[in-house]
Amino acid sequence: VVAQEEDSDLIVNDDLGYPITIVDDARPPIAQFLRERDARFVVLCDSNEHVYALARTIARRNRACLGVYAFPLGESRKRFSTLERVLEALLASGADRQTLVVGVGGGVASDLFGFAAATFMRGVPYAHVATTLVSMADAAIGGKTGVDLKSGKNLAGVFSDPLAVFAHVDALQTLPYRSLREGLAEIVKAAVIEGGDLFDSIETLSPHAFWRWPWTEVVAHAVKVKTMIVADDHKEAGVRELLNLGHTFGHGLELASGYRITHGAGVALGLRAAGLLALRTGRFSREEHLRMLATIALLGMPLRTSQRADNVLAAMYADKKKRDNTLRFVLPRAIGDVEYGVRVPERHVRAVLRELERAPEVTG
Ligand SMILES: NC(=O)c1ccc[n+]([C@@H]2O[C@H](COP(=O)([O-])OP(=O)(O)OC[C@H]3O[C@@H](n4cnc5c(N)ncnc54)[C@H](O)[C@@H]3O)[C@@H](O)[C@H]2O)c1
């Protein structure tokens, strides 16, 4: 249950059995959490100047802190080579099996530091302080950690739940738009899955400047959608697949473009593609489809691509989420009513991919 504490903007979500604290300034609740734990800890962070400054404040004047270690991250560094450096740093800090690892940063940090904590001395407790929209609304939640391999993203890792997650919402103030947009794509996805208030509020907010958005509530709402789905299906055997809405197409587009199409842009295009496929197969109404597209367009996310249908289709088959060489889709029946595991004839998929090469008729 999302508990809104009186006279405070602090929102704590406990659906997954660990607290996810969403608040403008997460430093006081982090300090309290560390005080209550009363054990030694190490801070690992992305070396981005804003993230590093936050990490230093967390460690400041706390004698239980064994040190702050900063690593240049980014997707290209979400690799075993960085993991090894992180593990060596943990050892050098004097950390042992009881030491808490506090990771600070975006989705790369939560995947990589979470994986490091899960494997250091066969596993030490981990808490994450999220500083990007992707990590607040998605990456830091649900216990998936890991690194990329040469052959593809997120191909090695473990499920490992953190002890606590903190979304330091003030961090969004320094986040570049291109990173914010990555997270917005996942939030729109969550809004299409959930429908109701979340979709309505994103739709209403979409024409407004981002600094005016009530980010704490928006993040809390998106987190609620993810935690409810993950709580039902921790290891992705079924209903967690809903979270892949827009991702079958999205991953194919990312891959086919050699990652020039970012994950967020791929998800935005993938949402349009899922909508088109649902329209074609008689599931979705044109009116709702256009509502979804208008919101995506207002948020500055792409709706058309020059990627060739054949290449994208081949990439979709190559993607790791395929099963027995069959593509399965997550498709909307309505905003707020999404089904997963849907198989459709390939000619429809091809037709949709060709349609993606053209701009939509109406974008609101
Ligand atoms: N495990 C999961 O369930 C899951 C889910 C979604 C995404 N992910 C992973 O998340 C990663 C993407 O996450 P991301 O978009 O946060 O990328 P990221 O961690 O690389 O952060 C994006 C950029 O923002 C910078 N940054 C971080 N905080 C900042 C701040 N407050 N102000 C200014 N700059 C800041 C970083 O240095 C980086 O350059 C991918 O590797 C993806 O696979 C994982």
Side-chain angles (χ1 to χ4, degrees):
V1 175
V2 174
Q4 185 98 39
E5 288 196 354
E6 260 178 59
D7 301 327
S8 148
D9 289 329
L10 182 106
I11 298 171
V12 182
N13 178 316
D14 269 321
D15 293 351
L16 296 179
Y18 51 86
I20 301 164
T21 303
I22 302 149
V23 62
D24 288 345
D25 182 1
R27 288 168 301 180
I30 295 166
Q32 188 185 343
F33 165 77
L34 292 170
R35 251 193 325 274
E36 283 168 6
R37 239 191 99 72
D38 193 24
R40 299 199 302 168
F41 67 94
V42 179
V43 181
L44 304 176
C45 70
D46 182 320
S47 65
N48 171 282
E49 57 179 320
H50 304 289
V51 181
Y52 183 55
L54 174 65
R56 297 254 319 241
T57 359
I58 292 168
R60 193 174 297 148
R61 287 199 291 276
N62 193 323
R63 286 171 50 202
C65 183
L66 296 175
V68 180
Y69 296 82
F71 299 85
L73 295 183
E75 192 66 37
S76 63
R77 296 199 172 90
K78 204 174 97 176
R79 300 302 293 263
F80 272 110
S81 50
T82 317
L83 180 73
E84 188 172 1
R85 280 203 290 281
V86 172
L87 293 171
E88 293 288 0
L90 285 175
L91 199 66
S93 75
D96 60 26
R97 293 211 54 192
Q98 275 70 48
T99 306
L100 168 75
V101 174
V102 180
V104 190
V108 169
S110 58
D111 278 6
L112 184 78
F113 297 149
F115 191 24
T119 47
F120 181 68
M121 296 191 173
R122 300 198 176 83
V124 294
Y126 183 71
H128 191 76
V129 182
T131 65
T132 66
L133 192 55
V134 168
S135 59
M136 292 177 196
D138 194 2
I141 294 150
K144 281 192 193 177
T145 71
V147 293
D148 301 334
L149 299 182
K150 268 206 195 76
S151 339
K153 284 172 68 176
N154 302 318
L155 289 178
V158 294
F159 281 96
S160 178
D161 279 339
L163 221 56
V165 175
F166 298 89
H168 181 63
V169 178
D170 279 349
L172 298 181
Q173 288 170 14
T174 57
L175 198 67
Y177 170 68
R178 63 172 189 280
S179 294
L180 198 68
R181 196 175 80 158
E182 292 294 295
L184 279 168
E186 298 293 350
I187 288 182
V188 173
K189 175 201 76 178
V192 174
I193 295 172
E194 170 73 2
D197 289 350
L198 181 56
F199 192 86
D200 291 349
S201 69
I202 300 298
E203 192 175 43
T204 313
L205 288 167
S206 57
H208 296 288
F210 291 124
W211 63 268
R212 298 181 58 185
W213 282 39
W215 282 109
T216 306
E217 284 102 275
V218 170
V219 169
H221 213 136
V223 165
K224 185 75 194 162
V225 174
K226 177 149 187 185
T227 58
M228 276 169 52
I229 292 172
V230 173
D232 273 356
D233 178 12
H234 191 248
K235 294 228 166 148
E236 209 170 31
V239 67
R240 194 164 173 167
E241 269 193 41
L242 285 175
L243 295 170
N244 284 328
L245 175 64
H247 282 59
T248 312
F249 284 108
H251 284 150
L253 287 156
E254 274 183 84
L255 212 61
S257 73
Y259 294 103
R260 278 191 308 280
I261 294 180
T262 65
H263 183 71
V267 171
L269 289 161
L271 287 173
R272 180 181 174 212
L276 286 170
L277 195 54
L279 268 176
R280 247 173 208 281
T281 51
R283 293 176 159 79
F284 198 30
S285 79
R286 194 173 154 71
E287 189 195 349
E288 297 236 296
H289 181 61
L290 292 180
R291 242 182 110 190
M292 181 176 82
L293 297 192
T295 304
I296 296 171
L298 277 170
L299 295 173
M301 292 187 279
L303 289 171
R304 74 167 286 278
T305 174
S306 54
Q307 293 300 314
R308 298 285 315 278
D310 285 348
N311 294 344
V312 180
L313 192 63
M316 284 164 69
Y317 276 111
D319 185 57
K320 72 184 162 92
K321 289 215 162 71
K322 74 173 189 319
R323 259 189 266 149
D324 51 54
N325 214 32
T326 312
L327 293 175
R328 287 182 172 78
F329 293 90
V330 187
L331 297 182
R333 281 188 289 237
I335 289 170
D337 179 11
V338 175
E339 63 183 312
Y340 62 91
V342 185
R343 295 168 64 167
V344 295
E346 198 181 283
R347 65 186 149 77
H348 287 317
V349 182
R350 276 183 193 282
V352 162
L353 287 170
R354 278 196 293 269
E355 221 169 319
L356 271 196
E357 293 180 38
R358 297 189 293 275
E361 286 163 39
V362 189
T363 53

